[in-house]
């Protein structure tokens, strides 16, 4: 199909929006390793997992054979408020780079949460409501997940308790206010409201918290209150299942215009957008139907895929969550205080980890200032100010487009623009002022953290 | 057409996007009064106006007979990056309100500038570039216009100098950083870089500035630098011309589904979104083809339409801009420091003023806390956190929908959601904390300011 016929933005019609989520595990011959109960170190059972998660979500978490799950009508109707999300042809970026490559991006930032997180937030809130719960608890680092969950809970009239990493709580007061506007109760973590919070505050007076610690607090809060369950915005297989709508829509939009993607690029923190985005493409690869180059992009400051170990590890600081086999830097690894809070996690989704381990996916690590340079270039021509996390994917998309310029190839590069940077202007200010640094952990640091992996 | 067939979001296809702007003055028998040269108090000529504005824009400003202007190809291509903007059927809000009314909103916040301002920013930057200028100067209050202009100038590689009202500069550092990310030079106003800025700083030491003062500085900066012209984001007829794309798209989307609007509602500061939004509908009324209820919504703290006088007045504090006949509170009127900076202007577009004067439009003034209540209700169900300015329209749309609930009528209520509130969380914080106040100027205050209107 001639290039001219492809619009700037490919919108699917409502009736073209997927009616089912896709579970890529069903097509994997070698499945991700099972989650382990931290108390018994044995594969966790549905009953055990249902103490932490809603039963329906626990089922989704453990099901690695069902390929498609119907999207409940209520969730689908909610999706209609902001989906289908556009697939944008980055004509302006292509022109700026003078590249023969064709660049596309799936824009997931067009909702108040500002990111793709809402796709799973509404699903998790829905199942909680359906189970008759009073509310849910969660943690948030950068704030995108907390914002999305607050919004979903507000819509369903469900109580929402968010443990926000203390440094974010203080540095991002406006994120906090968005959550409050949606009626959520936001507590800086570590707090004095949980046992583990009090313990950490005692051990490390003045600590500004971490994601792993906030997870522990949120899980404790969920399990100690009647009618509450814990929900999580990334890492889990249920989250990737919900986020598969990103990839399914992208594939449908490309198919609509007869475009065959050569590369699928996503940023990787816990793996939520990346896993959902690549799922249908990885599925085709697993079924031998097509071939794609899948690229995970992580920050050089927190390089779990490129420098971590594939092993069982804890997901949280308090070691009360199930263990999972994943690429990890060790749950004791403290990433530097980069401006991509959403990518500061020591581990990685088991699905993404296994796809990477099987060689179906590549991984690259990129430095912070180079990421912001890419973000600025993109913003100035494409008119969207991207989140720092999303900009990791932009950086590699630009790198690949520049390679095409050298070789003269017109490859189709598709990446996921997970969100907007409206709440990240402090980071942009550092970049604008030329005082942004890069941080790459030393081998010693990583070895030290990896030495403490549990012996499973 | 049955309700069920109307999707949540009506997207026009690219080829359905308007190719021309509509100039409603062409259909007005009684035209808005001419602009006056502040030096001669005579109708300003094209040559005189071209010293301040680009010639092409000055022509558009003075032309009240040409009904349609072709949108230049370059501008149209830029529009394609973020337009057509969706017309959303507010099913969730309708359900929340349990109203038989059908509520639609045109969402103009889906671009990095976060508002509709970009529609005119790109047009004004384009004509400046085409005329071979080096750059443009402007002022910004709330920051939406400055952001939009920075983005447009960055895209066209044009220098951009923004005088930002000092209190906004300090209270909204992140808005400033967005502009800087797009390469603009942002100066707090009053500054020491212009004669009028120095004079104001001397007269009122420690002042945090005003929009009227920043306008004067920007005009002085434009006329004192070779290769620069001044641009403005509202009030002017040229701006309403560019913003007519909002109304034209809205009309096309409604027509596509056979929906006849009963009410068209927009917030009113200088009149940029309102004027552009209502233009095609007012045109039909002027030509006797249809009838609509057009409603302007202004803050009770700055009620130019509902409590001002229809008279010639200055547009800026320095009295160096052309005078226009408009509804005004007097250029000496200082609105209270409300959280809707974009609506804090003493005057009103001449077109909006004249339509209102002829009885084609109603006006309502609403109080701040009621506006934020409406904003919160909207956000929680519709998933978009609206700008305080835009929320004025939401407030009246909800009021009208509640009237329909009483009468049982299924009226079609259409309003313009001009932008998002991502940079207004300080205001939301005040609301969330229950410490937001309302301010209604006394009759004495208004009389005092009106007493100083120029004698024309």
């Amino acid at each position: 199909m001639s290039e001219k016929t492809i619009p700037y933005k490919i919108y699917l019609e409502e009736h073209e929006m997927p009616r089912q989520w896709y579970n890529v595990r069903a097509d994997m011959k070698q499945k991700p390793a099972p989650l382990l109960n931290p108390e018994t170190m044995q594969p966790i059972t549905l009953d055990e997992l249902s103490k932490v998660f809603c039963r329906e979500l626990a089922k989704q978490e453990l099901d690695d054979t069902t390929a498609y799950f119907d999207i409940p009508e209520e969730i689908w109707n909610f999706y209609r408020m902001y989906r289908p999300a556009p697939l944008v042809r980055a004509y302006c970026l292509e022109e700026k780079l003078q590249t023969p490559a064709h660049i596309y991006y799936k824009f997931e930032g067009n909702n108040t949460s500002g990111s793709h997180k809402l796709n799973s937030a509404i699903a998790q809130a829905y199942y909680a409501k359906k189970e008759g719960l009073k509310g849910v608890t969660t943690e948030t680092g950068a704030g995108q997940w907390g914002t999305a969950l607050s919004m979903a809970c507000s819509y369903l009239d469900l109580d929402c308790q968010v443990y926000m990493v203390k440094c974010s709580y203080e540095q991002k007061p406006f994120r906090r206010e968005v959550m409050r506007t949606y009626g959520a109760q936001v507590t800086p973590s570590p707090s004095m409201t949980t046992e583990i919070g009090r313990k950490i505050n005692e051990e490390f007076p003045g600590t500004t918290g971490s994601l792993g610690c906030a997870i522990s607090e949120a899980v404790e809060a969920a399990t100690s209150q009647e009618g509450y369950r814990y929900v999580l915005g990334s890492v889990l297989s249920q989250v990737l299942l919900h986020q598969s709508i990103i990839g399914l829509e992208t594939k449908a939009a490309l198919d609509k215009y007869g475009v065959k993607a050569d590369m699928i690029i996503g940023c990787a923190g816990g793996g939520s957008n990346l896993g959902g985005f690549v799922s249908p493409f990885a599925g085709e690869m697993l079924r031998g139907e097509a071939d794609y180059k899948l690229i995970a992009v992580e920050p050089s400051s927190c390089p779990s895929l490129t420098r971590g170990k594939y092993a069982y590890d804890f997901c949280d600081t308090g070691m009360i969550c199930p263990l999972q086999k994943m690429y990890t830097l060790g749950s004791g690894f403290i990433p530097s205080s980069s401006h991509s809070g959403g990518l500061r996690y020591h581990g990685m989704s088991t699905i993404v980890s296994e796809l990477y381990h099987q060689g179906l996916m590549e991984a690259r690590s990129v430095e912070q200032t180079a990421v912001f340079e890419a973000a600025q270039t993109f913003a100035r021509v494409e008119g969207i100010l991207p989140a720092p996390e999303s900009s990791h994917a932009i950086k590699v998309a630009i790198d690949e487009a520049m390679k095409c310029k050298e070789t003269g190839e017109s490859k189709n590069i598709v990446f996921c623009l997970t969100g907007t940077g409206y709440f990240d202007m402090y980071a942009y200010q550092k970049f604008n002022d030329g005082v942004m640094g890069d941080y790459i952990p030393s081998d010693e640091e990583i070895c030290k953290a990896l030495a403490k992996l549990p012996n499973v």
Side-chain angles (χ1 to χ4, degrees), chain A:
Chain A
M1 179 167 284
S2 109
E3 174 173 337
K4 283 288 161 211
T5 60
I6 297 175
Y8 269 66
K9 288 171 299 176
I10 304 177
Y11 279 112
L12 298 175
E13 303 283 325
E14 259 179 30
H15 66 83
E16 294 170 306
M17 196 165 81
R19 288 278 182 181
Q20 295 181 309
W21 293 306
Y22 169 62
N23 180 13
V24 69
R25 287 174 294 174
D27 282 313
M28 295 169 78
K29 280 191 195 92
Q30 177 69 42
K31 313 278 185 193
L35 300 183
L36 302 185
N37 183 326
E39 288 168 22
T40 63
M41 290 295 180
Q42 294 301 309
I44 202 161
T45 65
L46 178 61
D47 283 342
E48 288 166 347
L49 201 57
S50 301
K51 289 176 192 163
V52 179
F53 302 125
C54 307
R55 198 162 180 90
E56 204 62 40
L57 290 166
K59 272 188 201 165
Q60 292 179 358
E61 191 64 32
L62 298 179
D63 187 338
D64 58 10
T65 53
T66 306
Y68 288 94
F69 286 78
D70 287 343
I71 300 174
E73 190 69 19
E74 293 86 344
I75 298 175
W76 197 83
N77 276 334
F78 186 90
Y79 280 166
R80 287 165 72 195
M81 288 203 291
Y82 68 101
R83 309 200 68 86
L87 180 72
V88 185
R89 172 74 185 268
Y91 283 115
C92 301
L93 182 61
E94 292 170 18
E95 199 186 316
K96 173 78 181 173
L97 302 176
Q98 291 287 303
T99 174
H102 294 188
I103 309 174
Y104 297 83
Y105 58 92
K106 181 71 170 171
F107 182 41
E108 290 287 328
N110 183 25
N111 63 72
T112 288
S113 81
S115 78
H116 68 292
K117 295 288 186 186
L118 196 54
N119 301 329
S120 185
I122 186 61
Q124 295 189 48
Y126 166 78
Y127 289 116
K129 184 78 181 178
K130 202 179 159 203
E131 205 165 300
L133 296 179
K134 286 185 206 158
V136 292
T137 71
T138 199
E139 78 295 323
T140 199
Q144 289 189 336
W145 167 247
T147 306
L149 187 69
S150 305
M151 187 180 144
C153 286
S154 150
Y155 182 79
L156 293 170
D157 203 14
L158 200 64
D159 188 37
C160 180
Q161 301 176 357
V162 181
Y163 288 85
M164 187 172 188
V165 177
K166 198 178 272 175
C167 65
S168 287
Y169 183 91
E170 285 161 4
Q171 279 176 11
K172 296 194 174 187
F174 293 164
R175 269 281 180 211
R176 184 184 73 208
E177 290 309 320
V178 176
M179 291 184 246
R180 285 183 72 206
T181 299
Y182 286 116
Q185 182 187 321
V186 189
T187 308
S189 164
S191 75
M192 296 304 277
T193 65
T194 66
E195 205 173 303
I196 195 135
R198 287 189 292 272
K199 195 175 143 200
I200 291 170
N201 269 318
E202 201 173 295
E203 260 181 68
F204 309 97
T207 176
T208 54
S210 74
L211 206 53
C213 162
I215 293 177
S216 299
E217 281 204 276
V219 172
E220 185 187 322
T223 50
S224 61
Q225 290 177 91
E226 190 67 45
Y228 281 77
R229 286 292 184 283
Y230 169 68
V231 296
L232 177 62
S234 190
V235 183
L236 300 172
S237 298
Q238 60 186 265
V239 176
L240 271 70
L241 174 70
H242 308 147
Q243 296 294 0
S244 69
I245 192 154
I246 306 175
L248 293 165
E249 278 187 13
T250 302
K251 179 109 189 42
L254 290 169
D255 286 351
K256 195 168 175 174
Y257 283 86
V259 176
K260 163 74 174 60
D262 292 300
M263 263 169 271
I264 313 286
I265 303 169
C267 63
S272 72
N273 94 85
L274 177 71
F277 184 45
V278 305
S279 274
F281 301 97
E284 286 186 75
M285 292 169 79
L286 288 160
R287 296 189 303 270
E289 295 166 7
D291 200 29
Y292 303 98
K293 189 168 178 166
L294 310 180
I295 309 178
V297 190
E298 56 185 16
S300 58
S301 59
C302 193
S304 55
L305 287 172
T306 52
R307 297 177 67 194
K309 195 173 163 184
Y310 193 39
Y312 266 106
D313 195 7
F314 290 99
C315 296
D316 64 324
T317 307
M319 302 181 181
I320 58 176
C321 290
L323 286 85
Q324 60 176 36
K325 190 177 176 191
M326 59 183 173
Y327 278 86
T328 178
L329 295 161
S331 65
F333 179 80
I334 309 287
S336 74
S337 62
S338 87
H339 294 292
S340 296
L343 305 183
R344 286 181 70 214
Y345 185 66
H346 68 277
M348 181 57 65
S349 133
T350 59
I351 294 174
V352 168
S353 292
E354 184 59 30
L355 289 173
Y356 178 60
H357 189 66
Q358 291 180 21
L360 273 85
M361 189 186 287
E362 295 176 26
R364 309 235 178 115
S365 77
V366 291
E367 294 178 26
Q368 180 163 261
T369 49
V371 165
F372 273 82
E373 274 162 28
Q376 190 189 61
T377 300
F378 180 84
R380 290 187 176 185
V381 293
E382 287 292 322
I384 295 172
L385 197 142
E389 290 84 356
S390 325
S391 304
H392 284 70
I394 297 175
K395 163 65 181 151
V396 168
I398 291 179
D399 287 348
E400 291 295 325
M402 294 312 282
K403 281 186 205 164
C404 286
K405 189 173 176 176
E406 276 176 32
T407 61
E409 290 171 289
S410 290
K411 289 191 179 166
N412 290 317
I413 300 171
V414 187
F415 70 92
C416 184
L417 189 71
T418 56
T420 52
Y422 294 106
F423 292 101
D424 301 287
M425 294 317 298
Y426 178 72
Y428 275 96
Q429 184 174 355
K430 293 280 171 200
F431 177 72
N432 292 336
D433 289 342
V435 294
M436 176 174 278
D438 287 318
Y439 180 75
I440 304 178
S442 68
D443 288 340
E444 288 71 21
E445 266 178 276
I446 291 181
C447 279
K448 205 172 144 191
L450 287 177
K452 290 182 189 160
L453 285 180
N455 201 357
V456 181

